[in-house]
PDB file of all heavy atoms in Angstrom:
ATOM      1  N   ARG A 268      19.647   3.551  68.372  1.00 97.00           N
ATOM      2  CA  ARG A 268      18.221   3.713  68.682  1.00 97.00           C
ATOM      3  C   ARG A 268      17.403   4.013  67.417  1.00 97.00           C
ATOM      4  O   ARG A 268      16.214   3.709  67.340  1.00 97.00           O
ATOM      5  CB  ARG A 268      18.043   4.844  69.703  1.00 97.00           C
ATOM      6  CG  ARG A 268      16.748   4.725  70.484  1.00 97.00           C
ATOM      7  CD  ARG A 268      16.410   5.985  71.277  1.00 97.00           C
ATOM      8  NE  ARG A 268      17.484   6.458  72.116  1.00 97.00           N
ATOM      9  CZ  ARG A 268      17.651   6.118  73.390  1.00 97.00           C
ATOM     10  NH1 ARG A 268      16.836   5.284  73.954  1.00 97.00           N
ATOM     11  NH2 ARG A 268      18.664   6.637  74.082  1.00 97.00           N
ATOM     12  N   SER A 291      24.869   0.473  69.424  1.00 97.00           N
ATOM     13  CA  SER A 291      25.064   1.420  70.527  1.00 97.00           C
ATOM     14  C   SER A 291      24.455   0.822  71.789  1.00 97.00           C
ATOM     15  O   SER A 291      23.696  -0.156  71.731  1.00 97.00           O
ATOM     16  CB  SER A 291      24.368   2.747  70.215  1.00 97.00           C
ATOM     17  OG  SER A 291      22.964   2.562  70.311  1.00 97.00           O
ATOM     18  N   ARG A 292      24.760   1.440  72.905  1.00 96.00           N
ATOM     19  CA  ARG A 292      24.206   0.922  74.164  1.00 96.00           C
ATOM     20  C   ARG A 292      22.693   1.096  74.221  1.00 96.00           C
ATOM     21  O   ARG A 292      21.999   0.273  74.820  1.00 96.00           O
ATOM     22  CB  ARG A 292      24.881   1.638  75.336  1.00 96.00           C
ATOM     23  CG  ARG A 292      24.387   1.167  76.662  1.00 96.00           C
ATOM     24  CD  ARG A 292      25.377   1.491  77.743  1.00 96.00           C
ATOM     25  NE  ARG A 292      24.722   1.610  79.028  1.00 96.00           N
ATOM     26  CZ  ARG A 292      25.338   1.936  80.133  1.00 96.00           C
ATOM     27  NH1 ARG A 292      26.633   2.193  80.116  1.00 96.00           N
ATOM     28  NH2 ARG A 292      24.707   2.021  81.263  1.00 96.00           N
ATOM     29  N   GLN A 305      27.652  -4.535  71.728  1.00 95.00           N
ATOM     30  CA  GLN A 305      27.798  -3.118  72.121  1.00 95.00           C
ATOM     31  C   GLN A 305      29.212  -2.595  71.894  1.00 95.00           C
ATOM     32  O   GLN A 305      30.196  -3.179  72.334  1.00 95.00           O
ATOM     33  CB  GLN A 305      27.441  -2.939  73.592  1.00 95.00           C
ATOM     34  CG  GLN A 305      27.455  -1.469  74.017  1.00 95.00           C
ATOM     35  CD  GLN A 305      27.082  -1.313  75.468  1.00 95.00           C
ATOM     36  OE1 GLN A 305      26.107  -1.910  75.912  1.00 95.00           O
ATOM     37  NE2 GLN A 305      27.840  -0.530  76.206  1.00 95.00           N
ATOM     38  N   ILE A 306      29.265  -1.475  71.206  1.00 95.00           N
ATOM     39  CA  ILE A 306      30.554  -0.830  70.932  1.00 95.00           C
ATOM     40  C   ILE A 306      30.633   0.431  71.768  1.00 95.00           C
ATOM     41  O   ILE A 306      29.678   1.201  71.829  1.00 95.00           O
ATOM     42  CB  ILE A 306      30.660  -0.496  69.422  1.00 95.00           C
ATOM     43  CG1 ILE A 306      30.766  -1.791  68.619  1.00 95.00           C
ATOM     44  CG2 ILE A 306      31.841   0.419  69.128  1.00 95.00           C
ATOM     45  CD1 ILE A 306      30.604  -1.616  67.147  1.00 95.00           C
ATOM     46  N   GLY A 307      31.785   0.644  72.394  1.00 91.00           N
ATOM     47  CA  GLY A 307      31.935   1.893  73.135  1.00 91.00           C
ATOM     48  C   GLY A 307      32.671   1.717  74.435  1.00 91.00           C
ATOM     49  O   GLY A 307      33.301   0.686  74.682  1.00 91.00           O
ATOM     50  N   GLN A 308      32.552   2.728  75.245  1.00 86.00           N
ATOM     51  CA  GLN A 308      33.289   2.786  76.511  1.00 86.00           C
ATOM     52  C   GLN A 308      33.058   1.553  77.367  1.00 86.00           C
ATOM     53  O   GLN A 308      33.984   1.024  77.974  1.00 86.00           O
ATOM     54  CB  GLN A 308      32.835   4.028  77.278  1.00 86.00           C
ATOM     55  CG  GLN A 308      33.529   4.244  78.599  1.00 86.00           C
ATOM     56  CD  GLN A 308      32.915   5.413  79.349  1.00 86.00           C
ATOM     57  OE1 GLN A 308      32.325   6.305  78.742  1.00 86.00           O
ATOM     58  NE2 GLN A 308      33.047   5.428  80.652  1.00 86.00           N
ATOM     59  N   THR A 309      31.824   1.088  77.440  1.00 84.00           N
ATOM     60  CA  THR A 309      31.522  -0.087  78.257  1.00 84.00           C
ATOM     61  C   THR A 309      31.238  -1.307  77.386  1.00 84.00           C
ATOM     62  O   THR A 309      30.666  -2.281  77.861  1.00 84.00           O
ATOM     63  CB  THR A 309      30.328   0.205  79.187  1.00 84.00           C
ATOM     64  OG1 THR A 309      29.350   0.939  78.445  1.00 84.00           O
ATOM     65  CG2 THR A 309      30.752   1.010  80.380  1.00 84.00           C
ATOM     66  N   GLY A 322      21.834   5.368  62.555  1.00 98.00           N
ATOM     67  CA  GLY A 322      20.886   5.711  63.613  1.00 98.00           C
ATOM     68  C   GLY A 322      21.535   5.787  64.977  1.00 98.00           C
ATOM     69  O   GLY A 322      20.928   5.468  65.992  1.00 98.00           O
ATOM     70  N   SER A 324      23.649   8.487  67.493  1.00 97.00           N
ATOM     71  CA  SER A 324      23.893   9.936  67.582  1.00 97.00           C
ATOM     72  C   SER A 324      25.384  10.271  67.641  1.00 97.00           C
ATOM     73  O   SER A 324      25.818  11.297  67.141  1.00 97.00           O
ATOM     74  CB  SER A 324      23.176  10.522  68.805  1.00 97.00           C
ATOM     75  OG  SER A 324      23.623   9.871  69.977  1.00 97.00           O
ATOM     76  N   GLN A 328      30.648   8.266  74.686  1.00 92.00           N
ATOM     77  CA  GLN A 328      30.891   6.884  75.112  1.00 92.00           C
ATOM     78  C   GLN A 328      30.844   5.917  73.931  1.00 92.00           C
ATOM     79  O   GLN A 328      31.452   4.864  73.965  1.00 92.00           O
ATOM     80  CB  GLN A 328      29.849   6.458  76.163  1.00 92.00           C
ATOM     81  CG  GLN A 328      29.905   7.236  77.441  1.00 92.00           C
ATOM     82  CD  GLN A 328      29.019   8.469  77.437  1.00 92.00           C
ATOM     83  OE1 GLN A 328      28.436   8.831  76.417  1.00 92.00           O
ATOM     84  NE2 GLN A 328      28.919   9.124  78.578  1.00 92.00           N
ATOM     85  N   GLN A 329      30.093   6.229  72.890  1.00 95.00           N
ATOM     86  CA  GLN A 329      30.058   5.403  71.674  1.00 95.00           C
ATOM     87  C   GLN A 329      31.331   5.656  70.869  1.00 95.00           C
ATOM     88  O   GLN A 329      31.996   4.714  70.399  1.00 95.00           O
ATOM     89  CB  GLN A 329      28.785   5.732  70.861  1.00 95.00           C
ATOM     90  CG  GLN A 329      28.852   5.461  69.379  1.00 95.00           C
ATOM     91  CD  GLN A 329      28.805   3.996  68.968  1.00 95.00           C
ATOM     92  OE1 GLN A 329      29.186   3.631  67.857  1.00 95.00           O
ATOM     93  NE2 GLN A 329      28.353   3.135  69.850  1.00 95.00           N
ATOM     94  N   ASN A 343      22.386   9.289  59.445  1.00 98.00           N
ATOM     95  CA  ASN A 343      21.567   9.821  60.533  1.00 98.00           C
ATOM     96  C   ASN A 343      20.608  10.845  59.936  1.00 98.00           C
ATOM     97  O   ASN A 343      20.983  11.614  59.054  1.00 98.00           O
ATOM     98  CB  ASN A 343      22.450  10.482  61.605  1.00 98.00           C
ATOM     99  CG  ASN A 343      21.711  10.669  62.915  1.00 98.00           C
ATOM    100  OD1 ASN A 343      20.674  11.324  62.960  1.00 98.00           O
ATOM    101  ND2 ASN A 343      22.241  10.065  63.972  1.00 98.00           N
ATOM    102  N   ASP A 361      17.069   8.766  56.205  1.00 98.00           N
ATOM    103  CA  ASP A 361      16.419   7.708  56.977  1.00 98.00           C
ATOM    104  C   ASP A 361      17.138   6.379  56.693  1.00 98.00           C
ATOM    105  O   ASP A 361      17.197   5.940  55.542  1.00 98.00           O
ATOM    106  CB  ASP A 361      14.949   7.635  56.543  1.00 98.00           C
ATOM    107  CG  ASP A 361      14.162   6.609  57.335  1.00 98.00           C
ATOM    108  OD1 ASP A 361      14.780   5.822  58.087  1.00 98.00           O
ATOM    109  OD2 ASP A 361      12.926   6.589  57.199  1.00 98.00           O
ATOM    110  N   LEU A 362      17.655   5.754  57.744  1.00 98.00           N
ATOM    111  CA  LEU A 362      18.418   4.509  57.543  1.00 98.00           C
ATOM    112  C   LEU A 362      17.562   3.429  56.891  1.00 98.00           C
ATOM    113  O   LEU A 362      18.073   2.557  56.189  1.00 98.00           O
ATOM    114  CB  LEU A 362      19.028   4.034  58.863  1.00 98.00           C
ATOM    115  CG  LEU A 362      18.096   3.520  59.974  1.00 98.00           C
ATOM    116  CD1 LEU A 362      17.828   2.034  59.853  1.00 98.00           C
ATOM    117  CD2 LEU A 362      18.716   3.809  61.320  1.00 98.00           C
TER     118      LEU A 362
HETATM  119  P1  FAD B 421      20.424   8.225  70.619  1.00 82.90           P
HETATM  120  O1  FAD B 421      21.404   9.098  71.286  1.00 82.90           O
HETATM  121  O2  FAD B 421      18.997   8.301  71.044  1.00 82.90           O
HETATM  122  O3  FAD B 421      20.537   8.533  69.063  1.00 82.90           O
HETATM  123  C1  FAD B 421      19.720   7.948  68.091  1.00 82.90           C
HETATM  124  C2  FAD B 421      20.085   8.628  66.780  1.00 82.90           C
HETATM  125  O4  FAD B 421      19.373   7.998  65.733  1.00 82.90           O
HETATM  126  C3  FAD B 421      19.729  10.124  66.728  1.00 82.90           C
HETATM  127  O5  FAD B 421      20.890  10.871  66.359  1.00 82.90           O
HETATM  128  C4  FAD B 421      18.648  10.206  65.663  1.00 82.90           C
HETATM  129  O6  FAD B 421      18.735  11.396  64.898  1.00 82.90           O
HETATM  130  C5  FAD B 421      18.957   8.999  64.813  1.00 82.90           C
HETATM  131  N1  FAD B 421      17.818   8.429  64.118  1.00 82.90           N
HETATM  132  C6  FAD B 421      16.584   8.166  64.605  1.00 82.90           C
HETATM  133  N2  FAD B 421      15.826   7.585  63.664  1.00 82.90           N
HETATM  134  C7  FAD B 421      16.592   7.476  62.543  1.00 82.90           C
HETATM  135  C8  FAD B 421      16.374   6.946  61.250  1.00 82.90           C
HETATM  136  N3  FAD B 421      15.197   6.402  60.907  1.00 82.90           N
HETATM  137  N4  FAD B 421      17.387   7.014  60.353  1.00 82.90           N
HETATM  138  C9  FAD B 421      18.576   7.583  60.659  1.00 82.90           C
HETATM  139  N5  FAD B 421      18.843   8.081  61.895  1.00 82.90           N
HETATM  140  C10 FAD B 421      17.863   8.027  62.812  1.00 82.90           C
HETATM  141  N6  FAD B 421      26.821   4.147  74.571  1.00 82.90           N
HETATM  142  C11 FAD B 421      27.381   3.323  73.648  1.00 82.90           C
HETATM  143  O7  FAD B 421      26.965   3.313  72.480  1.00 82.90           O
HETATM  144  N7  FAD B 421      28.396   2.473  74.015  1.00 82.90           N
HETATM  145  C12 FAD B 421      28.898   2.429  75.265  1.00 82.90           C
HETATM  146  O8  FAD B 421      29.790   1.617  75.544  1.00 82.90           O
HETATM  147  C13 FAD B 421      28.342   3.298  76.244  1.00 82.90           C
HETATM  148  N8  FAD B 421      28.826   3.324  77.511  1.00 82.90           N
HETATM  149  C14 FAD B 421      28.326   4.229  78.386  1.00 82.90           C
HETATM  150  C15 FAD B 421      28.882   4.323  79.664  1.00 82.90           C
HETATM  151  C16 FAD B 421      28.400   5.249  80.553  1.00 82.90           C
HETATM  152  C17 FAD B 421      29.026   5.338  81.924  1.00 82.90           C
HETATM  153  C18 FAD B 421      27.330   6.104  80.184  1.00 82.90           C
HETATM  154  C19 FAD B 421      26.811   7.140  81.141  1.00 82.90           C
HETATM  155  C20 FAD B 421      26.765   6.018  78.939  1.00 82.90           C
HETATM  156  C21 FAD B 421      27.231   5.079  78.017  1.00 82.90           C
HETATM  157  N9  FAD B 421      26.687   4.966  76.744  1.00 82.90           N
HETATM  158  C22 FAD B 421      27.262   4.149  75.839  1.00 82.90           C
HETATM  159  C23 FAD B 421      25.431   5.658  76.373  1.00 82.90           C
HETATM  160  C24 FAD B 421      25.655   6.905  75.533  1.00 82.90           C
HETATM  161  O9  FAD B 421      25.833   8.017  76.381  1.00 82.90           O
HETATM  162  C25 FAD B 421      24.426   7.170  74.636  1.00 82.90           C
HETATM  163  O10 FAD B 421      23.285   7.269  75.444  1.00 82.90           O
HETATM  164  C26 FAD B 421      24.182   6.095  73.579  1.00 82.90           C
HETATM  165  O11 FAD B 421      25.364   5.883  72.832  1.00 82.90           O
HETATM  166  C27 FAD B 421      23.066   6.570  72.658  1.00 82.90           C
HETATM  167  O12 FAD B 421      22.792   5.561  71.727  1.00 82.90           O
HETATM  168  P2  FAD B 421      22.198   5.978  70.310  1.00 82.90           P
HETATM  169  O13 FAD B 421      23.132   6.920  69.619  1.00 82.90           O
HETATM  170  O14 FAD B 421      21.824   4.735  69.609  1.00 82.90           O
HETATM  171  O15 FAD B 421      20.826   6.690  70.701  1.00 82.90           O
END
Side-chain angles (χ1 to χ4, degrees):
R268 203 192 308 268
S291 72
R292 180 159 154 183
Q305 185 179 313
I306 292 169
Q308 181 186 335
T309 41
S324 58
Q328 296 90 353
Q329 155 73 199
N343 197 302
D361 183 350
L362 69 89

